[in-house]
Coordinates of all heavy atoms in Angstrom, one line a residue:
E1 N -17.0 -72.4 -66.9 CA -17.6 -72.2 -68.2 C -16.7 -72.6 -69.4 O -17.2 -72.8 -70.5 CB -18.0 -70.7 -68.4 CG -19.0 -70.1 -67.4 CD -18.3 -69.9 -66.0 OE1 -17.2 -69.5 -65.9 OE2 -19.0 -70.2 -65.0
A2 N -15.4 -72.7 -69.2 CA -14.5 -73.1 -70.2 C -14.9 -74.5 -70.7 O -14.6 -74.8 -71.9 CB -13.1 -73.0 -69.7
L3 N -15.5 -75.3 -69.9 CA -15.8 -76.7 -70.3 C -17.1 -76.7 -71.1 O -17.4 -77.7 -71.8 CB -15.9 -77.6 -69.1 CG -14.7 -77.7 -68.3 CD1 -14.9 -78.6 -67.0 CD2 -13.5 -78.3 -69.1
K4 N -17.9 -75.6 -71.0 CA -19.2 -75.6 -71.7 C -19.2 -75.0 -73.0 O -20.2 -75.0 -73.8 CB -20.2 -74.9 -70.8 CG -20.4 -75.5 -69.5 CD -21.3 -74.7 -68.6 CE -21.4 -75.3 -67.2 NZ -22.0 -74.5 -66.3
R5 N -18.1 -74.4 -73.4 CA -18.0 -73.7 -74.7 C -18.1 -74.6 -75.8 O -17.4 -75.6 -75.9 CB -16.7 -72.9 -74.8 CG -16.7 -71.7 -73.8 CD -15.6 -70.7 -74.1 NE -15.7 -69.7 -73.1 CZ -14.6 -69.2 -72.6 NH1 -13.4 -69.6 -72.9 NH2 -14.7 -68.2 -71.7
E6 N -18.9 -74.3 -76.8 CA -19.1 -75.1 -78.0 C -18.2 -74.5 -79.1 O -17.9 -73.3 -79.1 CB -20.5 -75.0 -78.5 CG -21.5 -75.7 -77.5 CD -21.3 -77.2 -77.5 OE1 -21.0 -77.8 -78.5 OE2 -21.5 -77.8 -76.4
P7 N -17.7 -75.4 -80.0 CA -16.9 -74.8 -81.1 C -17.7 -73.9 -81.9 O -18.9 -74.0 -82.0 CB -16.5 -76.1 -81.9 CG -17.0 -77.3 -81.1 CD -17.8 -76.8 -80.0
Q8 N -17.0 -72.9 -82.5 CA -17.7 -71.9 -83.3 C -18.3 -72.5 -84.6 O -19.3 -72.0 -85.1 CB -16.7 -70.8 -83.7 CG -16.1 -70.0 -82.5 CD -17.1 -69.0 -81.9 OE1 -18.0 -68.6 -82.6 NE2 -17.0 -68.7 -80.7
H9 N -17.6 -73.5 -85.1 CA -18.1 -74.1 -86.3 C -17.7 -75.6 -86.3 O -16.8 -76.0 -85.6 CB -17.5 -73.4 -87.5 CG -16.0 -73.4 -87.5 ND1 -15.2 -74.4 -87.9 CD2 -15.1 -72.4 -87.0 CE1 -13.9 -74.1 -87.7 NE2 -13.9 -72.9 -87.2
A10 N -18.4 -76.4 -87.0 CA -18.1 -77.8 -87.1 C -17.0 -78.0 -88.2 O -17.0 -77.4 -89.3 CB -19.3 -78.6 -87.6
E11 N -16.0 -78.7 -87.8 CA -14.9 -79.0 -88.7 C -15.1 -80.3 -89.5 O -15.6 -81.2 -89.0 CB -13.6 -79.1 -87.9 CG -13.1 -77.9 -87.3 CD -11.8 -78.0 -86.6 OE1 -11.1 -79.1 -86.8 OE2 -11.4 -77.2 -85.8
Q12 N -14.7 -80.2 -90.7 CA -14.8 -81.4 -91.6 C -13.5 -82.2 -91.2 O -12.5 -81.7 -90.9 CB -14.7 -81.0 -93.0 CG -15.9 -80.2 -93.5 CD -17.2 -81.0 -93.3 OE1 -17.3 -82.1 -93.5 NE2 -18.3 -80.3 -92.8
P13 N -13.7 -83.6 -91.2 CA -12.5 -84.4 -90.9 C -11.4 -84.1 -91.8 O -11.5 -83.9 -93.1 CB -13.0 -85.8 -91.2 CG -14.5 -85.7 -91.1 CD -14.9 -84.3 -91.5
G14 N -10.2 -84.0 -91.3 CA -9.0 -83.7 -92.0 C -8.7 -82.2 -92.3 O -7.7 -81.9 -93.0
T15 N -9.7 -81.4 -92.0 CA -9.4 -79.9 -92.2 C -9.4 -79.2 -90.9 O -10.4 -79.3 -90.1 CB -10.6 -79.3 -93.1 OG1 -11.8 -79.5 -92.4 CG2 -10.6 -80.1 -94.4
R16 N -8.4 -78.5 -90.7 CA -8.3 -77.6 -89.5 C -7.8 -76.3 -89.8 O -6.9 -76.1 -90.6 CB -7.3 -78.3 -88.5 CG -7.9 -79.6 -87.9 CD -7.0 -80.1 -86.8 NE -7.3 -79.3 -85.6 CZ -6.8 -79.6 -84.5 NH1 -5.9 -80.5 -84.3 NH2 -7.1 -78.9 -83.4
T17 N -8.4 -75.3 -89.3 CA -8.0 -73.9 -89.5 C -6.9 -73.6 -88.5 O -7.1 -73.9 -87.3 CB -9.1 -72.9 -89.3 OG1 -10.2 -73.3 -90.1 CG2 -8.7 -71.5 -89.6
P18 N -5.7 -73.2 -89.0 CA -4.6 -72.9 -88.0 C -5.1 -71.8 -87.0 O -5.8 -70.9 -87.3 CB -3.5 -72.3 -88.9 CG -3.8 -72.8 -90.2 CD -5.3 -72.9 -90.3
V19 N -4.7 -72.0 -85.7 CA -5.1 -71.1 -84.7 C -3.8 -70.4 -84.2 O -2.8 -71.1 -84.0 CB -5.7 -71.9 -83.5 CG1 -6.0 -71.0 -82.3 CG2 -7.0 -72.6 -84.0
T20 N -3.9 -69.1 -84.0 CA -2.7 -68.4 -83.4 C -2.6 -68.7 -81.9 O -3.5 -69.2 -81.3 CB -2.9 -66.9 -83.6 OG1 -3.9 -66.4 -82.8 CG2 -3.1 -66.5 -85.0
E21 N -1.4 -68.5 -81.4 CA -1.2 -68.7 -80.0 C -2.2 -67.8 -79.2 O -2.7 -68.3 -78.2 CB 0.3 -68.2 -79.7 CG 0.7 -68.5 -78.3 CD 2.1 -68.1 -78.1 OE1 3.0 -68.9 -78.4 OE2 2.3 -66.9 -77.6
E22 N -2.4 -66.6 -79.6 CA -3.3 -65.7 -78.8 C -4.7 -66.2 -78.9 O -5.4 -66.2 -77.8 CB -3.3 -64.3 -79.4 CG -1.9 -63.6 -79.2 CD -1.5 -63.5 -77.8 OE1 -2.3 -63.1 -76.9 OE2 -0.4 -63.8 -77.5
E23 N -5.2 -66.7 -80.0 CA -6.5 -67.3 -80.1 C -6.6 -68.5 -79.2 O -7.7 -68.7 -78.6 CB -6.8 -67.7 -81.6 CG -7.0 -66.5 -82.5 CD -7.1 -66.9 -83.9 OE1 -6.5 -67.9 -84.3 OE2 -7.7 -66.2 -84.7
A24 N -5.6 -69.4 -79.2 CA -5.6 -70.6 -78.4 C -5.7 -70.3 -76.9 O -6.5 -70.8 -76.2 CB -4.4 -71.5 -78.6
L25 N -4.9 -69.3 -76.5 CA -4.9 -68.9 -75.0 C -6.3 -68.3 -74.7 O -6.8 -68.6 -73.6 CB -3.8 -67.9 -74.8 CG -2.4 -68.5 -74.8 CD1 -1.3 -67.4 -74.7 CD2 -2.2 -69.5 -73.7
T26 N -6.8 -67.5 -75.5 CA -8.1 -66.9 -75.3 C -9.2 -68.0 -75.2 O -10.1 -68.0 -74.3 CB -8.5 -65.9 -76.4 OG1 -7.5 -64.8 -76.3 CG2 -9.9 -65.2 -76.1
A27 N -9.2 -68.9 -76.2 CA -10.1 -70.0 -76.2 C -10.1 -70.9 -74.9 O -11.1 -71.4 -74.4 CB -9.9 -70.9 -77.4
L28 N -8.9 -71.0 -74.3 CA -8.7 -71.7 -73.1 C -9.1 -70.9 -71.9 O -9.1 -71.4 -70.7 CB -7.2 -72.2 -72.9 CG -6.8 -73.3 -73.9 CD1 -5.3 -73.4 -73.8 CD2 -7.5 -74.6 -73.6
G29 N -9.4 -69.6 -72.1 CA -9.8 -68.8 -70.9 C -8.6 -68.2 -70.2 O -8.8 -67.6 -69.1
V30 N -7.4 -68.2 -70.8 CA -6.2 -67.6 -70.2 C -6.1 -66.2 -70.8 O -5.6 -66.0 -71.9 CB -5.0 -68.5 -70.5 CG1 -3.7 -67.9 -69.9 CG2 -5.1 -69.9 -70.2
V31 N -6.6 -65.3 -70.0 CA -6.6 -63.9 -70.5 C -5.7 -63.0 -69.8 O -5.3 -61.9 -70.3 CB -8.1 -63.3 -70.4 CG1 -9.0 -64.0 -71.3 CG2 -8.6 -63.4 -69.0
D32 N -5.3 -63.3 -68.6 CA -4.3 -62.5 -67.8 C -2.9 -62.6 -68.4 O -2.5 -63.8 -68.7 CB -4.3 -62.9 -66.4 CG -3.3 -62.1 -65.5 OD1 -3.6 -61.0 -65.2 OD2 -2.2 -62.7 -65.3
E33 N -2.2 -61.5 -68.7 CA -0.9 -61.6 -69.4 C 0.1 -62.4 -68.6 O 0.9 -63.1 -69.2 CB -0.4 -60.2 -69.7 CG 0.7 -60.2 -70.7 CD 0.4 -60.9 -72.0 OE1 -0.7 -60.8 -72.6 OE2 1.3 -61.7 -72.4
T34 N 0.1 -62.3 -67.3 CA 1.0 -63.1 -66.4 C 0.7 -64.6 -66.6 O 1.7 -65.4 -66.8 CB 0.9 -62.7 -64.9 OG1 1.1 -61.3 -64.8 CG2 1.9 -63.5 -64.1
D35 N -0.5 -65.0 -66.6 CA -0.9 -66.4 -66.9 C -0.5 -66.8 -68.3 O 0.0 -67.9 -68.5 CB -2.4 -66.6 -66.7 CG -2.8 -66.4 -65.2 OD1 -2.0 -66.4 -64.3 OD2 -4.0 -66.2 -65.0
R36 N -0.7 -65.9 -69.3 CA -0.3 -66.3 -70.6 C 1.2 -66.5 -70.7 O 1.6 -67.5 -71.4 CB -0.7 -65.1 -71.6 CG -2.2 -65.1 -71.9 CD -2.5 -63.9 -72.8 NE -3.9 -63.9 -73.1 CZ -4.5 -64.1 -74.3 NH1 -3.7 -64.3 -75.3 NH2 -5.8 -64.1 -74.4
A37 N 2.0 -65.7 -70.0 CA 3.4 -65.9 -70.0 C 3.8 -67.2 -69.4 O 4.7 -67.9 -69.8 CB 4.1 -64.7 -69.3
A38 N 3.1 -67.6 -68.3 CA 3.3 -68.9 -67.6 C 3.0 -70.0 -68.6 O 3.8 -71.0 -68.7 CB 2.5 -69.0 -66.4
V39 N 1.9 -70.0 -69.3 CA 1.6 -71.0 -70.2 C 2.6 -71.1 -71.3 O 3.0 -72.2 -71.7 CB 0.1 -70.8 -70.8 CG1 -0.2 -71.8 -71.9 CG2 -0.9 -71.0 -69.7
R40 N 3.0 -70.0 -71.9 CA 4.0 -70.0 -72.9 C 5.3 -70.6 -72.4 O 6.0 -71.4 -73.1 CB 4.3 -68.6 -73.4 CG 3.2 -68.0 -74.2 CD 3.6 -66.6 -74.7 NE 2.5 -65.9 -75.3 CZ 1.8 -64.9 -74.7 NH1 2.2 -64.4 -73.6 NH2 0.8 -64.4 -75.3
G41 N 5.7 -70.3 -71.1 CA 6.9 -70.9 -70.5 C 6.8 -72.4 -70.4 O 7.8 -73.1 -70.7
V42 N 5.6 -72.9 -70.0 CA 5.4 -74.4 -69.9 C 5.5 -75.0 -71.2 O 6.2 -76.0 -71.4 CB 4.1 -74.7 -69.2 CG1 3.7 -76.1 -69.3 CG2 4.1 -74.2 -67.8
I43 N 4.9 -74.4 -72.2 CA 4.9 -75.0 -73.6 C 6.4 -75.0 -74.1 O 6.8 -76.0 -74.7 CB 4.0 -74.2 -74.5 CG1 2.6 -74.4 -74.1 CG2 4.3 -74.5 -76.0 CD1 1.6 -73.4 -74.8
A44 N 7.1 -73.9 -73.9 CA 8.5 -73.9 -74.3 C 9.4 -74.9 -73.6 O 10.2 -75.6 -74.3 CB 9.1 -72.5 -74.1

């Protein structure tokens, strides 16, 4: 289902709303805290 999610709103070219780390992980479907820690480790 993560591949089927539509953006909440259409963005205008050149404008992006900053996303927090928590929002990004949630949007990616990474909700388990252990998985979130693993993703943060990979990013670091």
Side-chain angles (χ1 to χ4, degrees):
E1 297 78 37
L3 299 176
K4 297 176 187 169
R5 293 196 179 136
E6 293 293 324
Q8 298 283 336
H9 55 83
E11 291 183 15
Q12 297 298 320
T15 63
R16 293 186 79 174
T17 305
V19 176
T20 68
E21 184 179 279
E22 294 302 312
E23 290 171 332
L25 290 170
T26 300
L28 290 170
V30 182
V31 293
D32 179 77
E33 196 51 48
T34 303
D35 293 343
R36 285 177 179 248
V39 171
R40 288 184 191 106
V42 169
I43 292 169

